[in-house]
Amino acid sequence: MHRWKTIVEPFRIHSVEPVRFNTREERSSRLQQAGFNLFGLRAEDVLIDLLTDSGTGAMSRDQWAAIQHGDESYAGSPSWFRFLDAVRSLFPFEHVIPTHQGRAAEKILFSVIGGPGKVVPNNTHFDTTRANIEYTGAEAVDLVIAEGHQPQVVHPFKGNMDVEALEALITAVGAHNVPVVFVTITNNSGGGQPVSLANLRAVRAVCDRHGLPLFLDGCRFAENAWFIHEREEGQQNRSIRDIVRDIAAVADGMTMSAKKDGMANIGGWLAMNDGELAAQCRNLLILTEGFPTYGGLAGRDLEAIAQGLNEVIEEDYLRYRIRSTAYLADALSDVGVPVVKPAGGHAVYIDARAMLPHIAPLRYPGQALAIALYREGGIRGCEIGTVMFGRHPDGSEVPAAMDLVRLAIPRRTYTQSHIDYVIEVATWVAERASSLRGLRIIGEPPALRHFTAQFAEIDESAAA
Ligand code: F0G
């Protein structure tokens, strides 16, 4: 049978949102006003917003319909039970604690199990996870395999944990100082790269040897399951649901942002089997989020997530999702823009350090590239590099492992022509790469500086 090359979106458009066009001059002045921090822009001044895939996706007809069934009862709402069933049908943990988003789950969990002297390993901590751990005085350690730090090296499961390094860390610091081992699926900060079932099971074995619980940061679990379906031996004929259940079966709990593979605009959860831990977490939940049958969510949000969890594991959706991300990565690679290979699930990561060798890491090549994509084409991406990870709790600043610009693709939101435009703009910028300038930071907060830091462009001719 003939295989068509065109990626046909497995939906048609039912309701549209306008986007606004502006000029390069207007964008230049918006950049000045925002202190060259793209988080400081008004979204209306962005044409194609690839800042994040978090909460920015389009909901389906059936999700909007489910919202009408939202029951806002304070306790024991039917919407809560639909949510609970949907979560448990994929992740059968005993205790499910709804939160308003992923970081709320992290905050609650680490408030209970973190603290000075504790060490939490992960393949790569997402920035809010790291910040929530460090806020308690604990240490967050990244242990992704070596390939995960090499943008050009192709490996089917670049998000895998370095199991030997994990074993060595636990032995060095003592298992009693490790409250939990985390694995992030997919590994967002490392390029949206998947973790294999085999690796999860190897991590499980290490945890078992030391009597440690294993938790998943499950934000993009369905995309990770699709990669397992496509790339891991013996998984091709299995359903996504079964693969997700296998993933869940290795873990003792999870944190989740439903703004990603929950296909919702808000929401999350914390789940676990340990009843004592769950009781402590629920006490904090009541303090900060809400009653345990709604957390920080409205009943209608619980409905949207419950329906979203059914849709995100559909094969037609996942095939389109992963292929369309690869389409952008391949096109950029073809015109010589260095991208992290292979393409991740939710985003394409441009290797700004390789693209802009004339800008030193401490002059933020990722930020320089993100600014250029906005100035030239109204595209908003996100620096994932030295701005995000360079400042350490002791006040020192060192270059991050990589300087990337992430173009995150909101789910079911942009068409192929939007993406073709992104390719055109990125090509234009790449052809003028040597004219891009580095930046210096002129103001930054004590933590999570990338959200609010203010920058100034460095005039190299003046510096010379
Ligand atoms: N863990 C991972 C792997 C994430 O990617 C995120 C959010 C979180 C936890 C926190 O979840 O936003 O619901 O509080 N990532 C978004 C992003 C913000 O753009 O990658 P949240």
Side-chain angles (χ1 to χ4, degrees), residues 12-17 58 64:
R12 53 187 185 185
I13 293 164
H14 167 75
S15 171
V16 298
E17 272 184 287
W64 286 110

Side-chain angles (χ1 to χ4, degrees), residues 52 101-103 106 126 128 188 217 219-220 257 260 406:
T52 178
Q101 61 184 85
R103 70 198 67 181
E106 295 164 359
F126 182 66
T128 60
N188 181 8
D217 176 337
C219 292
R220 299 176 181 85
S257 169
K260 284 82 170 177
R406 184 183 74 169

Side-chain angles (χ1 to χ4, degrees), residues 44-58:
E44 285 174 327
D45 293 326
V46 176
L47 182 63
I48 310 277
D49 204 346
L50 308 181
L51 184 65
T52 178
D53 64 320
S54 180
T56 51

Side-chain angles (χ1 to χ4, degrees), residues 19 34-35 42 67 83 102 159 169 186 258 272 276 298 309 361 368 426 433 459:
V19 291
R42 286 177 179 237
I67 278 175
F83 169 88
L169 175 77
T186 58
M272 64 202 67
E276 213 168 295
L309 290 174
D459 187 341

Side-chain angles (χ1 to χ4, degrees), residues 151 186-193 220 329 332 337-352 382 384 404-408:
T186 58
N187 188 32
N188 181 8
S189 306
Q193 300 292 331
R220 299 176 181 85
L332 292 179
V337 175
V339 295
V340 174
K341 291 182 176 166
H346 66 296
V348 173
Y349 295 70
I350 302 177
D351 184 351
C382 181
I384 299 205
L404 305 176
V405 171
R406 184 183 74 169
L407 304 178

